[in-house]
Amino acid sequence: MRRKMIAFLIASTFASPAFAASQQALDALANRMGVQLHILDNKPANCPGQADGCFLSELDLTMPQTLAPDLAHGNFKLYFSSVNPVIQGDSDAFTVRLINGDLHVLEPRSGVQLQPGKIYPVRLWSQGHFFSAYYPMPNMFLVSGKLAPAVIAATRPTTDPESGLELLPFVAPMTDQAHLGTQAADDLTRWQTPDRAFAEFADHSAPHAAPEVAIIPTPSLVKRLQGAPVDLARGVRLRLAGVQRPAIQAALADLASSGVRESAAGPELSIRISAADHLQPQGYRLTARSGAIHIVAADAAGARYALESLAQEAAYEHGSLRPLTIEDAPRSPFRGLHIDLARNFHSKAEVLKVIEQMGRYKLDKLHLHLGDDEGWRLEIAHFPELTGVGGYRCFDPSETQCLLPQLGSGPDRNTSVNGYLSSADYIEILKAANARGIEVIPEFDMPGHSRAAIHSMEARYRRLMAAGRSAEAQRFRLVEPGDMTRYRSIQNYNDNTLNVCLDSTYRFIDVVIGDVAALHAAAGVPLKTFHIGGDETAGAWSGSPACKALMAKTGLTVAQLGPMFIERVSGLVAKHGLTVAGWSDGLDHVDPAKMPRAVQSDIWGDLFTAAPAEAHRTANLGWKTVIAVPNVLYFDVPYAPHPLERGYDWPTRGTDSFKVFSFMPDNLPANASVMKDIKNKPPTSTDPLPLQPGRAFAGAQANMWSETVRRDSLVDYMLFPRLIAFAERAWHQAQWEPPYRPGTSYSYGDGKVDQAALTQNWSEFAANMPAQLATLERAGILYRLAPPGARVVNGLLEANSEFPGQPIEFRVNGGSWHAYSGPTRVTGTVELRTRTYDRRRTSRIVEVPSPYAG
């Protein structure tokens, strides 16, 4: 019944008036309509029905000078995405309502007569806040009858020719900090203006000697030796013992790209794997002296990492390597990166490019988020609809060919945010990762976040039923026809949760696990860990006949059905010989006694409140505990609090490389000593559930979700350079990090972390970053360039940069750009930008008004 009711509502939602426009007229309207979105106030006086705050915006629609009569009478609908649900609209000409997820529709009011050339304002009160001009979703589109939908040209994203970044030209500038900078009265956040950036960059700088080596992550021990440099200009002569060449081939390629190639005429480079040298797992000892280089490693991973260190140092010393010895090993075995391919798809080429950089910086786990509400991104042999339907979003109200548009994807199937990894693609990724010692962890989120799976499998059901194959159709069906449950997920879906009481749900999951394991086997890379998500599950199932029967039989409550599901699916994963992984909020409610022995919990609670107890609890259970706290380790957030910085800001207003570098993954409460909270206020972090003696975390994981990341170039931008700072902390334990002491509390600025030592260490790290950034440029990585810090004091322009030596340019009163080389007398308004070392890109432009403007 509920399924029929939803179908009726969908049909009525997308139905059009009786008279039809022409395709030419609809396309003309889409091409010529003006659209401008103004964010007016994050603190409006009255929030309709919302006690937790809202924001007010205005969408101005300008009709073209010529308008077909049928369209002027309102024979169209305008669809747009808004992650923040619209609570109330106010317009004389249009009504607004939520369809599902973030998809909304504007409909002309009955009897409306739209006038050519007229601007029609639509005021919108929406949930939450709105701090960034890059938070809106592009590709609004028009629909009229059975005509092809038409994207409104004014809402298409463009590309800035200087920075190479995506622009949203339909969003009006956000300049009113008093009304737009914060929402809560106690929020102390201020936009990062050039003078504030100048002060921050200066505060993070300390005098330091030239780095002993230019290797990131920093090795545990480096000692310079006496003697003549080892000349690598002629290449190296390779000698292996205990290690097979394929295991280190990718690292040898990186060494070659640094200028050190193999040659029979070069000095000897010996690589030996030995257990007798008592090196830690993944550890190595590298010695360069007497005209040769000798590497002893604990395992193949250690040999690869030694070669990566050699590649960096050889490039830094221009092929003439001064004698030294390096002893090195990672602090933790799990040094991960999570990339979300489900919300917006990213190409195989981009994944392979990131894998190459992961290898260079000694990261060893790649967590691929492949299934969510907005997309299913991996080909599953048994269920072609998962990618044939679930791999795409387009305007198909029946969702037979694709899912509904979300996240500004627009109405077209053939766009870059759509797509999936074929079996061959995935196998290629597995092989590339394995060559660099990286384990790939696939994730398909469940039981919530499963809309793509549910609707894809329902399309499969309809296909098989139409073919008369009823038993096959029912066997893996994920929908229960009589389920009358009503809910909205945190992303505002009313149909995204698997029914945990259907046997067909578990048959489906079991087949998916088997098919993914088969892909790993085909790549020669056995699957080790299967991630089931388990997070943010909506309050579903109360109206399900199957669940009512199960609860009557077992005595379970609705609240216990979610944990039951995770326990049962974890058992399925274990039967395949795999470790089950999940997000901590889903695993927090299970009965540990009903879970397999091998469990991985990814901790994503708030760093200053829930995370320490969550992490300590799971580690005390003996589970593999991976720190993924969003305050610091979510890389889809802005780099700084400013309306021209992009990304979701729910966990933090800004995470730059310095903040990531300052993170202490083994002592979570200690982070309160050096970091402020989301409101820029000094936090206090306690340790209510201490870590038991002998327990430790497996490691840490950086995470990039992709709701606002629509291009591969933005993957580069959001990951780098802060991923390099993460690699440093995941591998190397700094001397300024205080050891964990059970029960110890920390407060901001309490002196329990040596801030001077931290700043000194950052300065040393930052001194090595120019070489790393130049390497990223050669690899085609469009990393984020921080705009310069700048101030004008007594008529003198002073500027600085995030990392030393980054090229800075300035111009006065809109004139020509000049290279900044030191304090410069200026009169007028000054604009500045940072430029890459290869001169190909710039940062966004910042402006410093001079008090001496003429």
Side-chain angles (χ1 to χ4, degrees), residues 9-16 77 79 97 99 103 143 395 397 404:
L9 291 173
I10 288 175
S12 61
T13 292
F14 296 106
S16 297
K77 297 180 181 182
Y79 290 88
R97 58 194 174 92
I99 303 299
L103 187 63
V143 170
F395 188 73
L404 283 178

Side-chain angles (χ1 to χ4, degrees), residues 511-560:
V511 170
V512 169
I513 297 170
D515 278 11
V516 174
L519 290 174
H520 281 251
V525 183
L527 179 62
K528 299 177 182 178
T529 305
F530 190 89
H531 204 296
I532 64 171
D535 62 307
E536 295 183 332
T537 299
W541 315 311
S542 60
S544 160
C547 288
K548 289 178 179 179
L550 181 64
M551 289 187 288
K553 179 180 178 180
T554 62
L556 293 172
T557 65
V558 171
Q560 293 171 317

Side-chain angles (χ1 to χ4, degrees), residues 631-632 634-635 637-640 652-657 659-660 722:
N631 316 61
V632 186
Y634 273 26
F635 286 2
V637 303
Y639 278 88
T652 177
R653 293 294 298 276
T655 293
D656 60 7
S657 295
K659 181 179 176 181
V660 177
R722 52 189 169 188

Side-chain angles (χ1 to χ4, degrees), residues 428-575:
E428 184 177 348
I429 287 170
L430 292 175
K431 289 181 177 179
N434 186 60
R436 295 185 176 276
I438 298 168
E439 177 191 353
V440 174
I441 300 173
E443 178 192 355
F444 303 91
D445 212 343
M446 59 182 84
H449 289 280
S450 294
R451 190 175 192 276
I454 292 168
H455 282 267
S456 298
M457 293 301 288
E458 194 65 3
R460 175 185 184 273
Y461 167 81
R462 292 193 295 267
R463 172 177 64 83
L464 293 175
M465 288 296 290
R469 296 155 66 181
S470 176
E472 190 178 352
Q474 297 284 356
R475 180 168 175 74
F476 297 105
R477 193 181 187 189
L478 303 181
V479 168
E480 183 184 21
D483 187 354
M484 299 298 293
T485 309
R486 293 178 179 271
Y487 63 89
R488 282 283 181 187
S489 73
I490 194 169
Q491 281 83 18
N492 297 296
Y493 292 104
N494 60 11
D495 54 357
N496 80 330
T497 304
L498 294 174
N499 190 319
V500 301
C501 304
L502 298 177
D503 288 340
S504 54
T505 295
Y506 300 94
R507 286 194 290 267
F508 165 77
I509 294 168
D510 191 46
V511 170
V512 169
I513 297 170
D515 278 11
V516 174
L519 290 174
H520 281 251
V525 183
L527 179 62
K528 299 177 182 178
T529 305
F530 190 89
H531 204 296
I532 64 171
D535 62 307
E536 295 183 332
T537 299
W541 315 311
S542 60
S544 160
C547 288
K548 289 178 179 179
L550 181 64
M551 289 187 288
K553 179 180 178 180
T554 62
L556 293 172
T557 65
V558 171
Q560 293 171 317
L561 293 178
M564 176 210 71
F565 171 85
I566 291 176
E567 292 159 6
R568 183 170 173 182
V569 172
S570 296
L572 285 178
V573 174
K575 287 181 181 179

